[in-house]
C-alpha cells in the first residue's frame, strides 16, 4: 500500500469538516483542532516546544515537510511573522489542511502536493525546514536530506521532531499512526541519522530525547479516549486513520515502553 493510501483511505474529511463547522460556528481554535491536526506523539504541547526553537531562530521563509492536516502550519502562521509553505505527498491531507484553515481566522498559506525526495524548489529558497513525524515515512532519508540542504540557505536551520528507531527495533508492534505495516515505516537510529546529517552537509547543534514526555502524553491521551467513549462523539484521529487508530494508540505506548522507538528533537544548521 502506498503511503498516501495509508493516510487517505480512511479519511472522512467531509463529515469532519461539517462536524467542525457545526460544533464551532465562529471557527475552531488551535486547541479544538489538535485531535485531528496534530498527528504526532506529543500533540499540540510538542508543537509549542518546537515554536520555542523557532523563536530563537527567527526565520523568514519556512518549509514544512509532511505538513499533514496543517496544525503546526496554522500555529506558526498565527504566532510568527514568517512565511510558511507546506508540502505533503498525500493530496487529500493538503485539501483538508486548506479547508480547515478556511474555517479559522488564520490567513492561508500555500500547500503543495509533492514528494520530499524531489523538492520542487530552486536552491536556497528557505532559511528553515521543519519535519514533524514525516521523515519516518520517507524511504530514502539520505536523498531527502540532500534535497533539504539544496533548498536551504547556507546557515539555514533544519528542525526535526521525529520518531527514531529505539534500542530494540525487533519489538515493534503494528499498526502505528504512521504505518499499518513495516513496509510503510522508515525509522532509522539516532546514530544513523547523525551520520546522514553530517554527510548531507548539516551540523547538529542540539539534540533532545523527548521519549519519556511522549510516553506520558500518549498515556494521558489513552485515559481521555476511554472517557470520551461514554460521551457524545468528539473529533478524533480515527476520522483520519480509521478504526485501526484504536490499536495504534496502545501500540505507540508498547513501542515506547519496550524500546522499539524513541522520540527526538534535533536542531541542525546547513553548512557550505
Ligand atoms: C505522521 S503524519 C504527520 C503529519 C504532520 N506533520 C503532523 O505532525 O500532524 C506524516 C506525514 O508525512 C507525509 N509524507 C509521508 N511521506 C512523504 C513524502 N515522501 N513526501 C512528503 N510528505 C510525505 C504524509 O502524507 C503525512 O502527512
Amino acid at each position: 500500500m502506498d503511503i498516501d493510501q495509508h493516510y487517505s483511505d480512511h479519511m472522512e474529511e467531509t463529515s469532519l469538516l461539517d462536524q467542525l463547522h457545526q460544533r464551532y460556528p465562529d471557527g475552531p481554535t488551535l486547541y479544538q483542532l489538535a485531535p485531528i491536526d496534530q498527528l504526532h506523539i506529543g500533540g499540540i504541547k510538542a508543537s509549542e516546544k518546537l515554536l520555542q526553537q523557532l523563536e530563537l531562530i527567527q526565520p523568514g521563509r519556512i518549509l514544512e515537510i509532511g505538513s499533514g492536516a496543517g496544525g503546526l502550519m496554522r500555529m506558526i502562521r498565527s504566532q510568527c511573522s514568517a512565511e510558511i509553505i507546506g508540502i505533503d505527498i498525500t493530496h487529500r491531507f493538503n485539501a483538508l489542511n486548506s479547508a480547515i484553515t478556511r474555517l479559522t481566522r488564520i490567513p492561508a498559506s500555500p500547500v503543495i502536493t509533492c514528494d520530499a525526495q524531489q523538492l520542487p524548489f530552486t536552491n536556497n529558497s528557505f532559511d528553515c525546514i521543519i519535519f514533524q513525524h514525516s521523515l519516518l515515512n520517507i524511504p530514502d532519508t539520505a536523498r531527502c536530506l540532500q534535497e533539504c540542504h539544496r533548498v536551504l540557505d547556507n546557515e539555514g536551520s533544519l528542525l526535526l521532531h521525529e520518531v527514531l528507531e529505539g534500542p530494540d527495533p525487533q519489538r515493534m508492534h503494528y499498526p502505528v499512526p504512521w504505518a499499518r505495516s513495516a513496509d510503510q515505516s522508515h525509522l532509522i537510529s539516532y546514530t544513523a541519522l547523525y551520520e546522514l546529517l553530517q554527510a548531507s552537509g548539516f551540523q547538529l547543534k542540539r539534540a533532545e530525547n523527548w521519549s519519556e514526555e511522549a510516553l506520558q502524553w500518549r498515556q494521558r491521551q489513552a485515559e481521555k479516549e476511554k472517557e470520551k467513549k461514554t460521551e457524545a462523539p468528539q473529533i478524533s484521529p480515527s476520522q483520519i486513520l480509521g478504526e485501526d487508530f484504536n490499536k495504534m494508540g496502545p501500540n505507540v505506548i508498547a513501542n515506547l515502553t519496550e524500546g522499539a522507538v524513541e522520540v527526538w528533537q534535533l536542531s541542525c544548521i546547513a553548512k557550505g
Side-chain angles (χ1 to χ4, degrees):
M1 187 195 271
D2 288 347
I3 199 63
D4 64 328
Q5 288 175 292
H6 163 68
Y7 291 109
S8 296
D9 279 4
H10 302 269
M11 199 184 283
E12 298 168 7
E13 57 271 70
T14 309
S15 60
L16 179 56
L17 289 164
D18 280 351
Q19 198 183 347
L20 287 171
H21 185 61
Q22 301 291 331
R23 196 173 281 247
Y24 309 113
D26 296 331
T29 64
L30 295 172
Y31 273 86
Q32 287 162 340
L33 289 168
I36 49 94
D37 74 358
Q38 302 275 345
L39 292 175
H40 45 264
I41 315 171
I44 197 166
K45 294 281 172 209
S47 296
E48 282 169 351
K49 279 178 73 178
L50 268 188
L51 282 188
Q52 288 169 9
Q53 297 295 312
L54 281 185
E55 272 168 32
L56 300 176
I57 300 167
Q58 295 281 322
R61 290 159 295 133
I62 303 173
L63 172 65
E64 187 190 356
I65 293 194
S67 42
L72 183 66
M73 283 185 78
R74 279 182 287 279
M75 284 178 88
I76 291 173
R77 197 71 171 89
S78 58
Q79 292 171 34
C80 309
S81 58
E83 288 169 28
I84 177 161
I85 295 182
I87 67 138
D88 202 290
I89 204 164
T90 306
H91 186 68
R92 279 170 68 180
F93 251 146
N94 292 334
L96 178 63
N97 179 353
S98 300
I100 293 175
T101 301
R102 284 194 291 275
L103 294 178
T104 69
R105 288 155 202 234
I106 299 165
S109 300
V111 275
I112 299 171
T113 302
C114 65
D115 186 340
Q117 296 163 120
Q118 203 168 359
L119 292 172
F121 304 109
T122 52
N123 296 358
N124 311 104
S125 294
F126 301 96
D127 57 1
C128 179
I129 297 183
I130 307 179
F131 286 80
Q132 194 173 33
H133 286 44
S134 47
L135 198 64
L136 46 64
N137 275 143
I138 295 178
D140 193 340
T141 315
R143 182 164 169 197
C144 180
L145 291 177
Q146 284 153 18
E147 276 292 85
C148 289
H149 191 270
R150 180 183 67 75
V151 303
L152 259 183
D153 289 345
N154 186 28
E155 300 288 321
S157 298
L158 175 69
L159 301 186
L160 301 155
H161 171 214
E162 283 296 327
V163 180
L164 300 183
E165 196 176 85
D168 285 311
Q170 71 286 357
R171 303 194 70 169
M172 189 78 182
H173 301 264
Y174 293 98
V176 284
W178 64 93
R180 278 163 225 274
S181 53
D183 56 318
Q184 295 169 334
S185 181
H186 297 283
L187 306 187
I188 61 170
S189 66
Y190 177 87
T191 311
L193 179 57
Y194 179 82
E195 282 167 10
L196 284 179
L197 284 165
Q198 279 205 318
S200 312
F202 289 102
Q203 191 180 88
L204 182 65
K205 284 285 179 196
R206 197 170 154 278
E208 285 183 5
N209 187 335
W210 286 3
S211 303
E212 190 49 44
E213 245 174 290
L215 175 60
Q216 287 169 12
W217 175 85
R218 189 55 246 164
Q219 286 167 330
R220 283 197 305 277
Q221 293 307 111
E223 286 305 314
K224 284 188 203 164
E225 283 152 17
K226 254 191 243 157
E227 287 161 22
K228 282 178 185 165
K229 281 204 173 125
T230 56
E231 297 169 6
Q234 309 280 321
I235 62 163
S236 147
S238 61
Q239 288 165 289
I240 310 268
L241 294 165
E243 286 309 309
D244 274 352
F245 181 71
N246 294 326
K247 298 180 207 150
M248 292 169 175
N251 283 344
V252 166
I253 293 179
N255 290 331
L256 280 164
T257 310
E258 295 174 22
V261 303
E262 294 178 342
V263 177
W264 282 82
Q265 199 275 307
L266 276 69
S267 304
C268 314
I269 301 287
K271 291 288 176 188

